mmCIF file of all heavy atoms in Angstrom:
data_model
loop_
_atom_site.group_PDB
_atom_site.id
_atom_site.type_symbol
_atom_site.label_atom_id
_atom_site.label_comp_id
_atom_site.label_asym_id
_atom_site.label_seq_id
_atom_site.Cartn_x
_atom_site.Cartn_y
_atom_site.Cartn_z
ATOM 1 N N GLY A 1 -4.461 9.960 -1.811
ATOM 2 C CA GLY A 1 -3.015 10.046 -1.944
ATOM 3 C C GLY A 1 -2.215 9.244 -0.942
ATOM 4 O O GLY A 1 -0.999 9.281 -0.947
ATOM 5 N N LYS A 2 -2.872 8.497 -0.051
ATOM 6 C CA LYS A 2 -2.167 7.748 0.984
ATOM 7 C C LYS A 2 -2.497 6.259 0.886
ATOM 8 O O LYS A 2 -3.647 5.881 0.701
ATOM 9 C CB LYS A 2 -2.558 8.259 2.366
ATOM 10 C CG LYS A 2 -1.723 7.654 3.487
ATOM 11 C CD LYS A 2 -2.233 8.053 4.849
ATOM 12 C CE LYS A 2 -1.778 9.418 5.243
ATOM 13 N NZ LYS A 2 -2.141 9.740 6.647
ATOM 14 N N ILE A 3 -1.464 5.421 1.023
ATOM 15 C CA ILE A 3 -1.601 3.964 0.946
ATOM 16 C C ILE A 3 -1.155 3.365 2.271
ATOM 17 O O ILE A 3 -0.123 3.752 2.821
ATOM 18 C CB ILE A 3 -0.706 3.402 -0.190
ATOM 19 C CG1 ILE A 3 -1.092 4.023 -1.536
ATOM 20 C CG2 ILE A 3 -0.782 1.882 -0.233
ATOM 21 C CD1 ILE A 3 -0.025 3.875 -2.594
ATOM 22 N N ARG A 4 -1.926 2.412 2.778
ATOM 23 C CA ARG A 4 -1.533 1.674 3.975
ATOM 24 C C ARG A 4 -1.272 0.229 3.574
ATOM 25 O O ARG A 4 -2.069 -0.374 2.863
ATOM 26 C CB ARG A 4 -2.601 1.727 5.053
ATOM 27 C CG ARG A 4 -2.181 0.978 6.334
ATOM 28 C CD ARG A 4 -3.172 1.167 7.454
ATOM 29 N NE ARG A 4 -3.253 2.544 7.875
ATOM 30 C CZ ARG A 4 -2.506 3.091 8.844
ATOM 31 N NH1 ARG A 4 -1.609 2.377 9.472
ATOM 32 N NH2 ARG A 4 -2.665 4.359 9.169
ATOM 33 N N ILE A 5 -0.155 -0.301 4.045
ATOM 34 C CA ILE A 5 0.179 -1.710 3.827
ATOM 35 C C ILE A 5 0.175 -2.379 5.189
ATOM 36 O O ILE A 5 0.802 -1.884 6.134
ATOM 37 C CB ILE A 5 1.567 -1.865 3.173
ATOM 38 C CG1 ILE A 5 1.597 -1.140 1.830
ATOM 39 C CG2 ILE A 5 1.914 -3.339 3.007
ATOM 40 C CD1 ILE A 5 2.957 -1.114 1.182
ATOM 41 N N PHE A 6 -0.547 -3.470 5.285
ATOM 42 C CA PHE A 6 -0.542 -4.196 6.552
ATOM 43 C C PHE A 6 -0.447 -5.683 6.313
ATOM 44 O O PHE A 6 -0.708 -6.187 5.227
ATOM 45 C CB PHE A 6 -1.737 -3.825 7.435
ATOM 46 C CG PHE A 6 -3.076 -4.100 6.824
ATOM 47 C CD1 PHE A 6 -3.726 -5.296 7.059
ATOM 48 C CD2 PHE A 6 -3.703 -3.150 6.029
ATOM 49 C CE1 PHE A 6 -4.970 -5.549 6.504
ATOM 50 C CE2 PHE A 6 -4.945 -3.392 5.467
ATOM 51 C CZ PHE A 6 -5.573 -4.597 5.708
ATOM 52 N N SER A 7 -0.037 -6.382 7.360
ATOM 53 C CA SER A 7 0.113 -7.832 7.314
ATOM 54 C C SER A 7 -1.223 -8.487 7.633
ATOM 55 O O SER A 7 -1.853 -8.157 8.639
ATOM 56 C CB SER A 7 1.159 -8.285 8.335
ATOM 57 O OG SER A 7 1.122 -9.695 8.482
ATOM 58 N N LEU A 8 -1.636 -9.396 6.779
ATOM 59 C CA LEU A 8 -2.880 -10.128 7.042
ATOM 60 C C LEU A 8 -2.712 -11.109 8.187
ATOM 61 O O LEU A 8 -3.674 -11.440 8.871
ATOM 62 C CB LEU A 8 -3.326 -10.871 5.784
ATOM 63 C CG LEU A 8 -3.829 -9.986 4.657
ATOM 64 C CD1 LEU A 8 -4.093 -10.814 3.407
ATOM 65 C CD2 LEU A 8 -5.084 -9.246 5.077
ATOM 66 N N HIS A 9 -1.487 -11.576 8.420
ATOM 67 C CA HIS A 9 -1.253 -12.554 9.482
ATOM 68 C C HIS A 9 -1.204 -11.929 10.868
ATOM 69 O O HIS A 9 -1.672 -12.509 11.836
ATOM 70 C CB HIS A 9 0.016 -13.351 9.194
ATOM 71 C CG HIS A 9 -0.135 -14.238 7.993
ATOM 72 N ND1 HIS A 9 0.376 -13.896 6.762
ATOM 73 C CD2 HIS A 9 -0.773 -15.405 7.827
ATOM 74 C CE1 HIS A 9 0.067 -14.835 5.891
ATOM 75 N NE2 HIS A 9 -0.636 -15.763 6.503
ATOM 76 N N THR A 10 -0.628 -10.719 10.958
ATOM 77 C CA THR A 10 -0.510 -10.078 12.274
ATOM 78 C C THR A 10 -1.512 -8.945 12.467
ATOM 79 O O THR A 10 -1.779 -8.552 13.599
ATOM 80 C CB THR A 10 0.898 -9.492 12.480
ATOM 81 O OG1 THR A 10 1.098 -8.418 11.546
ATOM 82 C CG2 THR A 10 1.977 -10.559 12.301
ATOM 83 N N GLY A 11 -2.029 -8.400 11.361
ATOM 84 C CA GLY A 11 -2.930 -7.262 11.437
ATOM 85 C C GLY A 11 -2.217 -5.937 11.657
ATOM 86 O O GLY A 11 -2.851 -4.891 11.741
ATOM 87 N N LYS A 12 -0.887 -5.972 11.747
ATOM 88 C CA LYS A 12 -0.121 -4.758 12.016
ATOM 89 C C LYS A 12 0.212 -4.002 10.734
ATOM 90 O O LYS A 12 0.428 -4.594 9.687
ATOM 91 C CB LYS A 12 1.169 -5.103 12.751
ATOM 92 C CG LYS A 12 0.907 -5.638 14.138
ATOM 93 C CD LYS A 12 2.190 -5.855 14.883
ATOM 94 C CE LYS A 12 1.852 -6.367 16.273
ATOM 95 N NZ LYS A 12 3.050 -6.533 17.079
ATOM 96 N N THR A 13 0.282 -2.689 10.862
ATOM 97 C CA THR A 13 0.684 -1.844 9.748
ATOM 98 C C THR A 13 2.167 -2.033 9.482
ATOM 99 O O THR A 13 2.985 -1.973 10.397
ATOM 100 C CB THR A 13 0.393 -0.364 10.060
ATOM 101 O OG1 THR A 13 -1.011 -0.204 10.217
ATOM 102 C CG2 THR A 13 0.891 0.548 8.952
ATOM 103 N N VAL A 14 2.503 -2.262 8.219
ATOM 104 C CA VAL A 14 3.889 -2.413 7.787
ATOM 105 C C VAL A 14 4.425 -1.072 7.288
ATOM 106 O O VAL A 14 5.574 -0.724 7.535
ATOM 107 C CB VAL A 14 3.997 -3.486 6.682
ATOM 108 C CG1 VAL A 14 5.375 -3.549 6.088
ATOM 109 C CG2 VAL A 14 3.564 -4.845 7.213
ATOM 110 N N ALA A 15 3.586 -0.320 6.595
ATOM 111 C CA ALA A 15 4.009 0.969 6.050
ATOM 112 C C ALA A 15 2.797 1.838 5.731
ATOM 113 O O ALA A 15 1.724 1.321 5.429
ATOM 114 C CB ALA A 15 4.838 0.761 4.784
ATOM 115 N N VAL A 16 2.996 3.131 5.807
ATOM 116 C CA VAL A 16 2.033 4.109 5.317
ATOM 117 C C VAL A 16 2.795 4.955 4.305
ATOM 118 O O VAL A 16 3.837 5.526 4.619
ATOM 119 C CB VAL A 16 1.466 4.991 6.449
ATOM 120 C CG1 VAL A 16 0.531 6.045 5.879
ATOM 121 C CG2 VAL A 16 0.746 4.135 7.484
ATOM 122 N N LEU A 17 2.289 4.977 3.081
ATOM 123 C CA LEU A 17 2.971 5.649 1.977
ATOM 124 C C LEU A 17 2.160 6.853 1.533
ATOM 125 O O LEU A 17 0.959 6.734 1.288
ATOM 126 C CB LEU A 17 3.133 4.676 0.809
ATOM 127 C CG LEU A 17 3.730 3.308 1.147
ATOM 128 C CD1 LEU A 17 3.643 2.383 -0.050
ATOM 129 C CD2 LEU A 17 5.162 3.456 1.625
ATOM 130 N N ALA A 18 2.793 7.991 1.446
ATOM 131 C CA ALA A 18 2.111 9.200 1.006
ATOM 132 C C ALA A 18 2.962 9.884 -0.054
ATOM 133 O O ALA A 18 4.188 9.905 0.055
ATOM 134 C CB ALA A 18 1.873 10.137 2.182
ATOM 135 N N GLY A 19 2.320 10.426 -1.058
ATOM 136 C CA GLY A 19 3.063 11.118 -2.092
ATOM 137 C C GLY A 19 2.222 11.507 -3.287
ATOM 138 O O GLY A 19 2.534 12.469 -3.974
ATOM 139 N N HIS A 20 1.159 10.763 -3.542
ATOM 140 C CA HIS A 20 0.256 11.140 -4.618
ATOM 141 C C HIS A 20 -0.605 12.315 -4.168
ATOM 142 O O HIS A 20 -0.892 12.466 -2.980
ATOM 143 C CB HIS A 20 -0.645 9.958 -5.002
ATOM 144 C CG HIS A 20 0.070 8.849 -5.692
ATOM 145 N ND1 HIS A 20 0.662 8.985 -6.928
ATOM 146 C CD2 HIS A 20 0.284 7.563 -5.321
ATOM 147 C CE1 HIS A 20 1.200 7.838 -7.293
ATOM 148 N NE2 HIS A 20 0.997 6.958 -6.327
ATOM 149 N N LEU A 21 -1.038 13.117 -5.123
ATOM 150 C CA LEU A 21 -1.842 14.296 -4.790
ATOM 151 C C LEU A 21 -3.339 14.082 -4.945
ATOM 152 O O LEU A 21 -4.133 14.882 -4.461
ATOM 153 C CB LEU A 21 -1.414 15.478 -5.662
ATOM 154 C CG LEU A 21 0.056 15.870 -5.521
ATOM 155 C CD1 LEU A 21 0.404 16.989 -6.490
ATOM 156 C CD2 LEU A 21 0.384 16.254 -4.086
ATOM 157 N N ARG A 22 -3.717 12.992 -5.631
ATOM 158 C CA ARG A 22 -5.133 12.689 -5.827
ATOM 159 C C ARG A 22 -5.354 11.220 -5.484
ATOM 160 O O ARG A 22 -4.453 10.540 -5.034
ATOM 161 C CB ARG A 22 -5.541 13.007 -7.268
ATOM 162 C CG ARG A 22 -5.339 14.511 -7.552
ATOM 163 C CD ARG A 22 -6.055 15.065 -8.716
ATOM 164 N NE ARG A 22 -7.467 14.812 -8.683
ATOM 165 C CZ ARG A 22 -8.202 14.712 -9.777
ATOM 166 N NH1 ARG A 22 -7.653 14.829 -10.972
ATOM 167 N NH2 ARG A 22 -9.485 14.496 -9.703
ATOM 168 N N TYR A 23 -6.551 10.727 -5.740
ATOM 169 C CA TYR A 23 -6.874 9.360 -5.350
ATOM 170 C C TYR A 23 -6.052 8.346 -6.155
ATOM 171 O O TYR A 23 -5.610 8.595 -7.261
ATOM 172 C CB TYR A 23 -8.375 9.090 -5.453
ATOM 173 C CG TYR A 23 -8.954 9.273 -6.843
ATOM 174 C CD1 TYR A 23 -8.955 8.235 -7.765
ATOM 175 C CD2 TYR A 23 -9.506 10.497 -7.222
ATOM 176 C CE1 TYR A 23 -9.480 8.416 -9.027
ATOM 177 C CE2 TYR A 23 -10.029 10.676 -8.483
ATOM 178 C CZ TYR A 23 -10.008 9.628 -9.387
ATOM 179 O OH TYR A 23 -10.518 9.806 -10.641
ATOM 180 N N ILE A 24 -5.856 7.185 -5.546
ATOM 181 C CA ILE A 24 -5.076 6.102 -6.138
ATOM 182 C C ILE A 24 -5.959 5.372 -7.149
ATOM 183 O O ILE A 24 -7.107 5.040 -6.850
ATOM 184 C CB ILE A 24 -4.605 5.112 -5.047
ATOM 185 C CG1 ILE A 24 -3.897 5.838 -3.902
ATOM 186 C CG2 ILE A 24 -3.759 3.999 -5.636
ATOM 187 C CD1 ILE A 24 -2.678 6.608 -4.268
ATOM 188 N N THR A 25 -5.417 5.115 -8.330
ATOM 189 C CA THR A 25 -6.188 4.426 -9.368
ATOM 190 C C THR A 25 -5.813 2.957 -9.503
ATOM 191 O O THR A 25 -6.628 2.158 -9.956
ATOM 192 C CB THR A 25 -6.032 5.123 -10.728
ATOM 193 O OG1 THR A 25 -4.645 5.201 -11.062
ATOM 194 C CG2 THR A 25 -6.630 6.518 -10.682
ATOM 195 N N SER A 26 -4.580 2.592 -9.129
ATOM 196 C CA SER A 26 -4.206 1.171 -9.165
ATOM 197 C C SER A 26 -3.051 0.899 -8.215
ATOM 198 O O SER A 26 -2.246 1.780 -7.920
ATOM 199 C CB SER A 26 -3.844 0.716 -10.585
ATOM 200 O OG SER A 26 -2.642 1.316 -10.999
ATOM 201 N N LEU A 27 -3.014 -0.345 -7.734
ATOM 202 C CA LEU A 27 -1.955 -0.832 -6.858
ATOM 203 C C LEU A 27 -1.566 -2.225 -7.325
ATOM 204 O O LEU A 27 -2.444 -3.054 -7.586
ATOM 205 C CB LEU A 27 -2.443 -0.928 -5.408
ATOM 206 C CG LEU A 27 -2.798 0.357 -4.686
ATOM 207 C CD1 LEU A 27 -3.506 0.040 -3.376
ATOM 208 C CD2 LEU A 27 -1.538 1.170 -4.428
ATOM 209 N N ASN A 28 -0.264 -2.491 -7.407
ATOM 210 C CA ASN A 28 0.225 -3.825 -7.775
ATOM 211 C C ASN A 28 1.576 -4.075 -7.145
ATOM 212 O O ASN A 28 2.438 -3.195 -7.160
ATOM 213 C CB ASN A 28 0.370 -3.959 -9.301
ATOM 214 C CG ASN A 28 -0.948 -4.071 -9.991
ATOM 215 O OD1 ASN A 28 -1.634 -5.062 -9.851
ATOM 216 N ND2 ASN A 28 -1.324 -3.026 -10.718
ATOM 217 N N PHE A 29 1.746 -5.272 -6.597
ATOM 218 C CA PHE A 29 3.053 -5.698 -6.117
ATOM 219 C C PHE A 29 3.809 -6.347 -7.270
ATOM 220 O O PHE A 29 3.199 -6.976 -8.144
ATOM 221 C CB PHE A 29 2.906 -6.751 -5.001
ATOM 222 C CG PHE A 29 2.555 -6.182 -3.662
ATOM 223 C CD1 PHE A 29 1.237 -6.088 -3.257
ATOM 224 C CD2 PHE A 29 3.544 -5.756 -2.791
ATOM 225 C CE1 PHE A 29 0.903 -5.574 -2.015
ATOM 226 C CE2 PHE A 29 3.232 -5.237 -1.553
ATOM 227 C CZ PHE A 29 1.906 -5.146 -1.162
ATOM 228 N N THR A 30 5.137 -6.206 -7.262
ATOM 229 C CA THR A 30 5.947 -6.948 -8.223
ATOM 230 C C THR A 30 5.926 -8.424 -7.834
ATOM 231 O O THR A 30 5.574 -8.773 -6.697
ATOM 232 C CB THR A 30 7.393 -6.431 -8.250
ATOM 233 O OG1 THR A 30 7.945 -6.478 -6.929
ATOM 234 C CG2 THR A 30 7.470 -5.017 -8.806
ATOM 235 N N LEU A 31 6.304 -9.286 -8.760
ATOM 236 C CA LEU A 31 6.245 -10.730 -8.516
ATOM 237 C C LEU A 31 7.111 -11.174 -7.346
ATOM 238 O O LEU A 31 6.780 -12.145 -6.667
ATOM 239 C CB LEU A 31 6.625 -11.504 -9.776
ATOM 240 C CG LEU A 31 5.620 -11.404 -10.925
ATOM 241 C CD1 LEU A 31 6.142 -12.145 -12.152
ATOM 242 C CD2 LEU A 31 4.270 -11.938 -10.507
ATOM 243 N N ASP A 32 8.211 -10.470 -7.092
ATOM 244 C CA ASP A 32 9.054 -10.855 -5.957
ATOM 245 C C ASP A 32 8.620 -10.184 -4.654
ATOM 246 O O ASP A 32 9.187 -10.430 -3.595
ATOM 247 C CB ASP A 32 10.528 -10.570 -6.245
ATOM 248 C CG ASP A 32 10.839 -9.095 -6.423
ATOM 249 O OD1 ASP A 32 9.935 -8.245 -6.266
ATOM 250 O OD2 ASP A 32 12.002 -8.783 -6.748
ATOM 251 N N GLY A 33 7.591 -9.322 -4.714
ATOM 252 C CA GLY A 33 7.034 -8.697 -3.522
ATOM 253 C C GLY A 33 7.882 -7.590 -2.916
ATOM 254 O O GLY A 33 7.585 -7.117 -1.831
ATOM 255 N N THR A 34 8.937 -7.148 -3.602
ATOM 256 C CA THR A 34 9.820 -6.125 -3.032
ATOM 257 C C THR A 34 9.421 -4.696 -3.395
ATOM 258 O O THR A 34 9.933 -3.758 -2.803
ATOM 259 C CB THR A 34 11.277 -6.347 -3.474
ATOM 260 O OG1 THR A 34 11.346 -6.258 -4.899
ATOM 261 C CG2 THR A 34 11.782 -7.706 -3.009
#
């Protein structure tokens, strides 16, 4: 239920997202990355 987003260039965590109650089945960014 928790997602971590980090920068590949800096290695730093950008965000930790929590809200799902079970495991994540898919992740996708929109084309504009927002």
